[in-house]
Amino acid sequence: ILKDIQNGKYIVTEVKKGERKRTPAPPFTTSTMQQEASRKLGFTLKKTMSVAQGLYEGVKIEGKGSIGLITYMRTDSTRISEEARVAAKKEIVKMYGEEYYENRYYKTKQTSQDAHEGIRPTYIDLNPEMIKNDLSKDQYKLYKLIYNRFLASQMQAAIFDTITANIDVNHYNFRANGQSLKFKGFMTLYIETPDNKTEEDEESFVPLLKEGQEVIKQRIDPKQSFTEPPPRYTEASLVKALEEKGIGRPSTYSPTITTILERRYIEKEQKQLVPTELGKVVNKLLTENFSDIINVEFTAKIEEEFDEIADGKENWKQVIREFYGPFEKEVEKVD
């Protein structure tokens, strides 16, 4: 292939132009707040929850006394009140103009308990810069993250002009994809940090090309790609996995990870979570002897049963009886 394309003519065979929209992320839930605070601010889960607790319980603001700056921070809902929508619209129109506002509703997952709103500022008129001097450094960083994420969730989509060009040389086809930002929309205020950046996240430039046009080869980069193993979990990506698999609740993500760190079952290497020898031994012991319990399906099923008990659909004594009988026998056997 390299030989065939070395000296041929590079002819543009097709040019497609289009438009792509990018919509804002919803207001924070506990898990998305923990993930973004980890990625953007370098906070541990424990630190994020501690700082959020302080913002929720109340901060002394000059001229206003002690006030809670955010809504309840243990939630898996993205719902927001109509009152907050009205306040968000007012602030967005004032700051950026009518064309930047869009009244958005976000679907809350079926498994969400929805008792609380998504995490948002309680007073939209208290923007982070206004109260910066009343907040600690960490409080300011997290409050700004929550504030901007919430406002951005009620803003217009960003619009990109896209271009795709096919270039032929000796019957081999090359493709160039590019995009340029046409209207910033919500990206004026907030952009979610992805776990793994893709080419799509980068703004790449492709010059204006015409079909039939010859282009000049600058260089050829021969490259062979191999499938990489999945990267180790970070605190942020582990929270995301726990949520996706239905393990735990907003209130348990941080304590779960903190506990296995404190017991030295895992340790941090840079940002990655790595199992220790002790962790491997404990894991082996548990999976070999309690395989019915130490699995994702069991944990998610128990969470569902707890929800049904809370809704009055299940009898808690019956649920505990069904679990504890077989479990007691397994414990005796291992003893």
Side-chain angles (χ1 to χ4, degrees), residues 155-307:
M155 289 175 75
Q156 282 283 356
I159 301 170
F160 294 85
D161 283 327
T162 63
I163 184 169
T164 301
N166 284 332
I167 299 161
D168 186 86
V169 54
N170 288 338
H171 308 296
Y172 291 102
N173 184 59
F174 290 85
R175 180 169 292 161
N177 294 306
Q179 61 178 21
S180 57
L181 190 59
K182 184 179 181 180
F183 174 66
K184 256 190 159 181
F186 77 94
M187 289 173 69
T188 310
L189 188 61
Y190 183 90
I191 304 170
E192 188 175 34
T193 307
D195 278 326
N196 301 299
K197 275 202 168 188
T198 63
E199 284 176 24
E200 206 175 79
D201 298 314
E202 302 291 338
E203 190 172 333
S204 50
F205 176 72
V206 172
L208 288 171
L209 299 169
K210 293 177 184 173
E211 287 182 20
Q213 178 183 351
E214 183 179 351
V215 291
I216 308 302
K217 162 181 63 88
Q218 282 190 332
R219 69 180 188 277
I220 294 167
D221 293 330
K223 184 185 172 188
Q224 185 173 8
S225 296
F226 294 93
T227 305
E228 294 284 330
R232 288 197 183 277
Y233 284 123
T234 59
E235 285 197 2
S237 62
L238 182 52
V239 166
K240 189 178 181 183
L242 290 172
E243 188 179 34
E244 283 172 354
K245 293 177 189 296
I247 301 171
R249 283 287 178 264
S251 57
T252 63
Y253 301 139
S254 176
T256 299
I257 295 170
T258 301
T259 300
I260 58 175
L261 275 164
E262 285 173 353
R263 290 183 184 170
R264 301 185 187 277
Y265 296 155
I266 59 171
E267 59 190 10
K268 275 189 187 175
E269 286 182 8
Q270 292 168 328
K271 281 191 173 183
Q272 294 187 322
L273 302 175
V274 180
T276 61
E277 281 308 309
L278 173 62
K280 290 175 185 175
V281 169
V282 170
N283 181 63
K284 187 169 185 282
L285 177 77
L286 291 173
T287 50
E288 283 177 0
N289 294 287
F290 300 99
S291 57
D292 291 347
I293 298 165
I294 308 299
N295 66 60
V296 171
E297 291 77 16
F298 171 81
T299 312
K301 179 174 167 283
I302 281 288
E303 292 287 356
E304 279 175 26
E305 287 181 341
F306 288 164
D307 287 343

Side-chain angles (χ1 to χ4, degrees), residues 117-165:
E117 287 184 65
I119 303 168
R120 63 168 178 84
T122 45
Y123 301 96
I124 308 300
D125 55 329
L126 290 180
N127 75 57
E129 304 314 314
M130 273 176 61
I131 58 172
K132 187 174 182 179
N133 293 336
D134 297 308
L135 304 176
S136 71
K137 198 174 171 184
D138 289 338
Q139 284 177 331
Y140 167 72
K141 284 180 182 175
L142 189 61
Y143 181 64
K144 188 176 180 181
L145 196 70
I146 293 166
Y147 187 96
N148 289 353
R149 169 85 165 215
F150 169 66
L151 269 197
S153 76
Q154 295 298 296
M155 289 175 75
Q156 282 283 356
I159 301 170
F160 294 85
D161 283 327
T162 63
I163 184 169
T164 301

